[in-house]
Amino acid sequence: MPGGTPSGDAPAVAPPAAAAPEGTENAQVSDAGRADGGEASGPVPDTAGTVPQAVEPDGSEEPAVPAEASAAGAQGADARRRLRAALWPPRLSRGQLVVAVLLFSLGLGLAIQVRSTNDHSQLRGARQEDLVRILDELDSRQQRLQQEKTQLDQSLTQLENSSNQAKEAQEQTRKKATELGVLAGTERATGPGIVLTIDDPQGQVKADMLLDTLQELRAAGAEAIQINDVRVVAGTYFTDGSAGGVQIDGRNVSQPFRFTVVGNPQDLTPALNIPGGVVRTLEKDQATATITQQQKVVVDAIAQPKPLRYGKPAAK
């Protein structure tokens, strides 16, 4: 009868089983019980008399790490620790510190040089027409200086070759005094030049702007300058009035400011129109500058010379 032992028959004695590996004994016993038709009611004791516990993987246990990998990780951590200890805190020798200071000084000097070079290149973005005008102005200055040198050489030659050197010297002295009188503002002057008119409806033009305009005209070769009815001389000064406006040599000057200038118009006009020059600066302050070139302008304002209080001619 399946599932049991037939009555009256002796159970068959199984031959002794060969020794099985430790991991397969339980499985064999379980299979034998199922072969007899019964179900195992519990764990079957193994040869050692211990009951194995079933362990199901739940993912919480970590896989075993090989000994070689653990040793390599420990060596890597130790190497990183030694590297950090070698780099920080830094240990600098005297020679390394000197080299670092020299390199820093060299870099700082190069940076300052590059910046100063860029700051002084104001004509880098100028138009070709403006560059041509500036070049013409420089050429005109050179020609003017060459002409002055030639005149002085001629005067010296005439003085040396004249039969009456005393009379020739007196004539040249008188001529020179007249020229110096024009420069000093004690003589009227006439000749080619320009008239610069500055309209300032917003009242933004100050004394320093008029002074910059005067300096530009002098640098361009102006020989005689008059602002409204005030003659400009070596000691002319500009101040801002307490109630507004501008004072020149202590005299109030009202708008519009009118510069009457004797000089070469081809030199004076480009000097005022250069990039970043007087005209551009005035336009930024909402003032209008109008330049008129004329073949003959008259500077008729006379400056009263002031007696010297401290200076006197030096003995040769």
Side-chain angles (χ1 to χ4, degrees), residues 44-301:
V44 179
D46 57 1
T47 57
T50 59
V51 179
Q53 299 293 330
V55 179
E56 296 181 358
D58 57 356
S60 60
E61 296 184 359
E62 296 182 356
V65 179
E68 293 83 358
S70 177
Q75 292 178 357
D78 184 62
R80 288 192 294 271
R81 183 167 54 254
R82 285 183 295 175
L83 179 61
R84 286 195 298 268
L87 295 179
W88 188 262
R91 300 176 181 88
L92 297 178
S93 63
R94 183 184 299 272
Q96 292 175 339
L97 183 61
V98 171
V99 171
V101 172
L102 291 178
L103 291 176
F104 175 77
S105 302
L106 179 60
L108 181 61
L110 290 176
I112 294 175
Q113 181 67 24
V114 171
R115 183 172 182 178
S116 62
T117 302
N118 293 334
D119 290 342
H120 290 293
S121 58
Q122 299 179 357
L123 301 180
R124 186 182 300 274
R127 298 178 302 174
Q128 183 177 2
E129 295 80 1
D130 297 330
L131 295 176
V132 171
R133 290 177 181 176
I134 295 174
L135 183 60
D136 292 341
E137 179 184 353
L138 294 176
D139 292 339
S140 300
R141 290 183 183 180
Q142 183 179 3
Q143 293 176 2
R144 185 170 62 253
L145 293 175
Q146 187 64 35
Q147 291 176 358
E148 184 177 356
K149 179 179 179 297
T150 302
Q151 292 176 359
L152 293 175
D153 292 338
Q154 292 177 355
S155 300
L156 179 60
T157 302
Q158 292 176 1
L159 183 60
E160 292 176 347
N161 298 332
S162 176
S163 57
N164 190 350
Q165 294 184 355
K167 183 178 180 180
E168 184 66 25
Q170 184 178 4
E171 181 65 23
Q172 291 187 11
T173 301
R174 185 190 62 80
K175 182 180 179 180
K176 191 66 177 178
T178 303
E179 294 177 355
L180 293 176
V182 173
L183 297 177
T186 58
E187 297 286 343
R188 293 180 175 86
T190 184
I194 65 170
V195 176
L196 170 65
T197 304
I198 300 176
D199 293 317
D200 180 29
Q202 303 296 330
Q204 299 297 322
V205 177
K206 304 299 181 182
D208 57 341
M209 299 180 185
L210 297 181
L211 178 59
D212 291 341
T213 305
L214 175 61
Q215 299 290 14
E216 288 288 347
L217 292 172
R218 282 176 170 171
E223 297 177 352
I225 304 175
Q226 174 179 332
I227 304 177
N228 289 12
D229 56 350
V230 178
R231 183 69 174 268
V232 176
V233 295
T236 298
Y237 61 94
F238 299 80
T239 57
D240 292 323
S242 58
V246 178
Q247 292 183 348
I248 303 177
D249 290 341
R251 299 170 57 181
N252 291 325
V253 179
S254 60
Q255 299 186 39
F257 304 107
R258 182 182 178 90
F259 287 74
T260 305
V261 186
V262 175
N264 186 0
Q266 304 302 323
D267 296 338
L268 301 174
T269 302
L272 298 176
N273 286 316
I274 62 174
V278 172
V279 175
R280 299 294 184 271
T281 303
L282 292 173
E283 289 177 351
K284 289 181 180 179
D285 293 326
Q286 299 181 355
T288 303
T290 305
I291 302 174
T292 304
Q293 298 184 5
Q294 299 181 8
Q295 293 300 321
K296 182 180 180 180
V297 296
V298 178
V299 176
D300 53 3

